[in-house]
Amino acid sequence: MRRIGAHVSAAGGPHKAVERAAAIGCNCVQVFSGSPRSWQRKSLEELDTEKLRAARSRHAVEPVFTHALYLVNLAAEDDAVLEKSMKAIAYDLAFDAEIAGAGVVVHLGSHQGRGWDAVQRQVLERVGELVEHSPPEATFLIENSAGQKGKLSTDLAEIRWMLEQLASPQVGWCFDTCHAFAGGYALGNPGARSPRKGAGCGGRSGGYAGSERSYAVAEIERLKLWDELRCVHVNDSRDPFASGRDRHANINDGEIPRDELEYFLSRSEIHALPLILEVPGIENDGPDAENVQRLLALVGEES
Ligand SMILES: [Zn+2]
Ligand SMILES: [Zn+2]
């Protein structure tokens, strides 16, 4: 059975998120460690990990991922932003260890026009520092981006570089299908047809959409990134291929061709990996049972 999960609200505590995930048919889950709109966090002692453990075993929801705040930017020039970002991720890593989670998914941030080369050292050092000071059970997962506004890790080669430099079992990465598609990586079978032409690269720096290298599986293979991949965010895209925009759509309702998404999800390398929905939902209140059913159908596990 595939691990199918969703990012759901953890209002009332993370055990509530487990219940919400189970209620829509999920067997794994992703949460924020607190309000996504605020840097404020409760002290970890206030967490009821016993309740969480009980909910997880009762509903067989496993594993639990944490998503870092969207506000963080490890490439920030502004010291105050950088400091807040470090504090927030450090908290999430401690939270991940405390709840025996599977990792903290992080958008590294944006170079804000300066380019990857100008910020890569800073970002590497910051991530290294965070991992070094985190509990050994904590995992830092770098997520790929859609390329909007100078967002880092749109180019999978950047993720390869980070993983290689950090060389830590505590660091891995997360692949988001919407971000990859919008960032210029087709999800289909590279052998099936001639490479699709990109519609332009939006915020991408070294855009190569339309070239032979723009197939996600071909690039992951070339960069030897399968082994460090820990989870897949499965989202459709409201915007066209290589648009450089990050707007998620419900499964089958966006621009990603169904056969391409199906092909990507059928790859044996990701069969054992959790698939997490971060879609708007039919009623616009987040991932729902309908999207879980659509994802199950996509991976051939209709219930
Ligand atoms: Zn995502
Ligand atoms: Zn996104």
Side-chain angles (χ1 to χ4, degrees):
M1 206 172 55
R2 301 281 293 252
R3 305 313 295 174
I4 306 277
H7 186 107
V8 298
S9 162
H15 65 284
K16 284 282 181 198
V18 168
E19 290 167 11
R20 289 182 184 109
I24 58 170
C26 291
N27 54 18
C28 57
V29 68
Q30 178 177 281
V31 297
F32 287 122
S33 63
S35 164
R37 283 168 298 277
S38 159
W39 297 97
Q40 297 302 320
R41 285 293 179 264
K42 283 184 183 174
S43 91
L44 284 174
E45 285 84 72
E46 288 174 58
L47 264 179
D48 196 335
T49 50
E50 193 41 52
K51 252 189 194 157
L52 175 62
R53 204 190 50 75
R56 278 155 84 161
S57 69
R58 186 166 55 241
H59 298 288
V61 169
E62 205 68 62
V64 180
F65 289 93
T66 302
H67 200 298
L69 287 174
Y70 294 114
L71 304 164
V72 302
N73 186 5
L74 295 178
E77 268 186 298
D78 182 336
D79 284 341
V81 175
L82 193 55
E83 181 117 350
K84 274 197 238 175
S85 301
M86 292 292 285
K87 236 183 104 182
I89 300 172
Y91 177 92
D92 283 349
L93 288 166
F95 176 86
D96 176 50
E98 188 71 24
I99 66 167
V104 182
V105 179
V106 185
H107 291 281
L108 297 179
S110 162
H111 60 63
Q112 294 163 314
R114 294 185 293 153
W116 168 236
D117 292 354
V119 299
Q120 64 183 137
R121 278 281 144 204
Q122 169 179 328
V123 175
L124 177 69
E125 280 165 21
R126 293 310 183 166
V127 176
E129 208 176 301
L130 283 163
V131 172
E132 193 189 328
H133 294 106
S134 70
E137 307 80 31
T139 311
F140 189 112
L141 302 175
I142 302 169
E143 180 171 3
N144 67 313
S145 302
Q148 73 283 18
K149 300 190 185 103
K151 280 280 183 326
L152 304 175
S153 310
T154 305
D155 186 338
L156 298 181
E158 292 178 16
I159 297 181
R160 171 74 278 164
W161 184 80
M162 290 288 294
L163 293 174
E164 211 154 274
Q165 297 293 314
L166 292 159
S168 163
Q170 280 184 262
V171 187
W173 72 293
C174 161
F175 181 91
D176 185 304
T177 58
C178 167
H179 300 170
F181 180 80
Y185 291 102
L187 297 168
N189 183 348
R193 65 174 93 127
S194 59
R196 126 206 308 274
K197 288 279 174 278
C201 276
R204 284 281 293 285
S205 41
Y208 40 75
S211 82
E212 231 173 303
R213 300 199 304 145
S214 63
Y215 277 99
V217 291
E219 272 301 272
I220 293 172
E221 214 127 88
R222 188 182 71 85
L223 295 164
K224 299 188 170 57
L225 276 168
W226 286 125
D227 285 354
E228 286 126 312
L229 183 59
R230 304 288 177 84
C231 70
V232 178
H233 284 170
V234 185
N235 304 305
D236 211 327
S237 170
R238 278 176 68 181
D239 299 286
F241 181 69
S243 59
R245 299 193 68 185
D246 180 8
R247 296 191 306 165
H248 302 185
N250 291 321
I251 302 302
N252 301 341
D253 290 349
E255 296 283 327
I256 302 179
R258 189 187 156 102
D259 62 317
E260 294 193 13
L261 191 53
E262 209 167 42
Y263 170 79
F264 187 84
L265 298 176
S266 74
R267 292 291 300 210
S268 61
E269 293 90 344
I270 63 165
H271 262 225
L273 297 181
L275 308 176
I276 309 274
L277 292 159
E278 299 172 314
V279 293
I282 307 299
E283 305 289 339
N284 258 308
D285 49 10
D288 48 18
E290 173 63 23
N291 276 280
V292 171
Q293 288 309 313
R294 291 181 187 186
L295 178 50
L296 282 167
L298 266 182
V299 299
E301 287 193 4
E302 255 136 322
S303 58

